[in-house]
Amino acid sequence: MNASVPPAPLSSDPEVAALLAEEIERQRTTLQLIASENFTSPAVLAASASVLTNKYAEGYPGRRYYGGNVHADRVEDLARTRACALFGAEHANVQPHAGASANLAAYLALVEPGDTILAMRLDQGGHLTHGSPVSITGKTYRFVAYGVTPAAEDGSGERIDLDQVRDLARTERPRVIVAGTTAYTRIIDPRPFREIADEVGAYFLFDAAHPAGLIAGGVHPSPVGVADVVTFTTHKTLRGPRGGAILCRSELAKQIDAAVFPGLQGGPLEHVIAAKAVAFAEAARPAFRDYAAAVVRNAAALAHALDAQGFRLVAGGTENHTVLVDLRSFDAELTGKVAQEVLDRAGITCNRNQIPDDPRSPFVTSGLRLGSAAETTAGMGEAEMALVGELIARVLRHRDDDAVVAEVREQVRTLCGKFDPYPLPLPGDPRAVRR
Ligand SMILES: *Cc1c(COP(=O)(O)O)cnc(C)c1O
């Protein structure tokens, strides 16, 4: 913890200051169960709020198009070196502004517009940047999609259908095969994808946006050294600043770097890159391995509690930080949209999500996605997750009863009060101002 972060002088802008103060309170007093979110350390916050935001640094360390990059170069080199050390990679590009830009850069580096890419379908757990028709990826490349196996009574279904991946690879001859998901609760073994890619002569891209922290923490198998290219976000389970990164073998380094800049982006966000460097060092500490293991245990405890309340768990449970709930078994009338809204009123923040073969639209959905990464950072354990599962069921069961919703809101406030992610004053913190 970095106690030297000064409260930012936002008094010059009371309007923004007030909004940020309210957001700090929201994050402190409500449950953060969005699977793609986390609480960064104060050190990560401080680095991303640093004067490096003032610096133009187009290019790469030692090859910049602007002067004055002596410190930006060292910061970016540190971030690259730490990323390589953390994941055992030969090359790292830490400039992608987000996971989406990292994926787009990977495609740009590996294939030509119109080429075929095999990836997971969005409604089966894939991501928009895996070829959704509304994404530039789906408009630029010819995506073919695989999905999961059918649901099974005993929970053994809804796994990535590797037979389908193999069959489609053989018939469609993709130039790239993508593994990686945004709403999938099981471990993804990279090796079968490697075998299939080798058989058809395709590149293998592993999008580790969600499990990057679980991989760094040693609780999920690493795709580094197995996949040709690994993209990830730094802000999900990895607990760094909002951003993306790419790892690859040395042979692909030039192609990947050229695709990020000048292919896709202009000047890198060196303040965010400084924060990424901080996060990579934090994730290399032994305590982060304990954190990653706790994230998985906590998700399992939450899943167990929800199962006991009558929610069907997609894929029969979880092996990562996410839980995907099929609401129809709990209440056939209840949609993801309504559930998300009523939980929000009770201070339980999560997102609606389609489940495999969802009959409802992506805007309505039959599912809820929950994650344990953020509240594990705040210090919650399995007992708290069991309570959270009960509170979720209670609110949804009595969703038309404002008194119950208000009661749960108070229980949530009390629980969050015991697990403050930022016990020290933050920049713009109303508690710091009160002192
Ligand atoms: C979150 C996510 C992304 C995109 O990350 P952004 O930083 O939101 O652009 C890409 N791929 C997968 C699988 C994701 O879950």
Side-chain angles (χ1 to χ4, degrees):
M1 293 281 163
N2 185 343
S4 65
V5 183
L10 258 175
S11 49
S12 65
D13 191 332
E15 241 179 315
V16 171
L19 290 171
L20 293 185
E22 281 176 36
E23 174 60 11
I24 292 173
E25 272 315 280
R26 187 194 69 80
Q27 292 191 18
R28 273 190 176 133
T29 60
T30 59
L31 277 166
Q32 308 310 316
L33 299 181
I34 291 179
S36 42
E37 292 184 354
N38 213 324
F39 297 112
T40 69
S41 69
V44 166
L45 279 185
S48 57
S50 68
V51 292
L52 277 169
T53 196
N54 299 331
K55 192 68 203 94
Y56 242 112
E58 279 184 354
Y60 289 99
R63 294 179 286 122
R64 304 286 194 186
Y65 290 80
Y66 293 85
N69 275 304
V70 53
H71 303 118
D73 275 9
R74 290 177 66 185
V75 163
E76 190 169 337
D77 259 336
L78 198 57
R80 295 198 295 194
T81 306
R82 287 179 177 179
C84 286
L86 180 63
F87 291 101
E90 291 178 7
H91 179 73
N93 187 309
V94 294
Q95 292 193 0
H97 299 332
S101 6
N103 283 347
L104 201 49
Y107 300 145
L108 191 62
L110 300 176
V111 290
E112 297 297 324
D115 279 352
T116 300
I117 304 176
L118 179 59
M120 198 170 192
R121 220 170 67 203
L122 180 64
D123 70 340
Q124 304 273 299
H127 189 258
L128 284 165
T129 56
H130 297 181
S132 161
V134 298
S135 152
I136 187 170
T137 59
K139 297 182 203 294
T140 308
Y141 305 101
R142 177 180 168 267
F143 272 86
V144 178
Y146 61 85
V148 295
T149 56
E153 217 36 77
D154 64 356
S156 64
E158 294 163 305
R159 303 296 200 279
I160 290 174
D161 189 344
L162 285 167
D163 292 332
Q164 195 186 15
V165 176
R166 190 177 301 104
D167 290 346
L168 285 169
R170 284 176 181 162
T171 54
E172 302 288 343
R173 312 303 289 189
R175 299 277 325 274
V176 180
I177 299 178
V178 185
T181 57
T182 190
Y184 185 70
T185 59
R186 295 287 168 182
I187 287 174
I188 303 177
D189 182 355
R191 288 166 306 179
F193 282 97
R194 174 78 269 169
E195 281 164 28
I196 296 167
D198 283 344
E199 186 192 319
V200 301
Y203 285 113
F204 172 25
L205 167 64
F206 194 104
D207 178 353
H210 269 272
L214 304 180
I215 293 163
V219 296
H220 271 216
S222 177
V224 177
V226 181
D228 298 291
V229 177
V230 175
T231 56
F232 62 99
T233 67
T234 45
H235 53 272
K236 297 182 182 174
T237 55
L238 194 59
R239 209 161 68 180
R242 186 159 297 284
I246 307 177
L247 305 171
C248 65
R249 288 179 285 111
S250 312
E251 303 97 89
L252 290 171
K254 258 195 149 137
Q255 260 164 275
I256 289 289
D257 285 355
V260 175
F261 174 85
L264 193 63
Q265 295 184 172
L269 312 176
E270 292 295 341
H271 55 306
V272 179
I273 290 172
K276 288 173 184 173
V278 173
F280 295 147
E282 288 177 355
R285 291 184 193 140
F288 196 84
R289 300 182 81 83
D290 300 338
Y291 165 69
V295 165
V296 173
R297 277 200 310 273
N298 283 347
L302 179 60
H304 185 75
L306 292 166
D307 177 62
Q309 296 286 341
F311 293 95
R312 188 184 80 83
L313 305 173
V314 173
T318 180
E319 295 167 330
N320 60 19
H321 59 300
T322 58
V323 180
L324 191 57
V325 167
D326 180 351
L327 295 165
R328 296 171 304 177
S329 59
F330 179 79
D331 181 339
E333 303 289 299
L334 181 60
T335 65
K337 184 172 183 290
V338 167
Q340 179 194 311
E341 284 163 5
V342 66
L343 286 169
D344 231 348
R345 284 200 287 134
I348 301 174
T349 314
C350 62
N351 67 280
R352 62 180 177 272
N353 211 101
Q354 280 193 301
I355 56 173
D357 303 313
D358 201 321
R360 296 186 176 118
S361 77
F363 194 73
V364 179
T365 83
S366 303
L368 271 189
R369 190 184 66 159
L370 306 158
S372 61
E375 293 303 343
T376 303
T377 296
M380 289 193 192
E382 290 163 282
E384 287 75 32
M385 288 297 131
L387 172 60
V388 168
E390 282 172 34
L391 294 178
I392 288 171
R394 182 137 189 266
V395 174
L396 295 182
R397 206 167 271 132
H398 302 282
R399 59 184 180 275
D400 298 323
D401 187 339
D402 286 347
V404 173
V405 175
E407 223 177 273
V408 173
R409 176 73 194 92
E410 279 319 300
Q411 279 176 282
V412 165
R413 193 185 298 278
T414 305
L415 178 62
C416 291
K418 294 185 202 147
F419 297 93
D420 186 345
Y422 296 113
L424 294 164
L426 292 173
D429 196 331
R431 291 186 199 173
V433 174
R434 265 187 242 125
R435 278 157 189 243

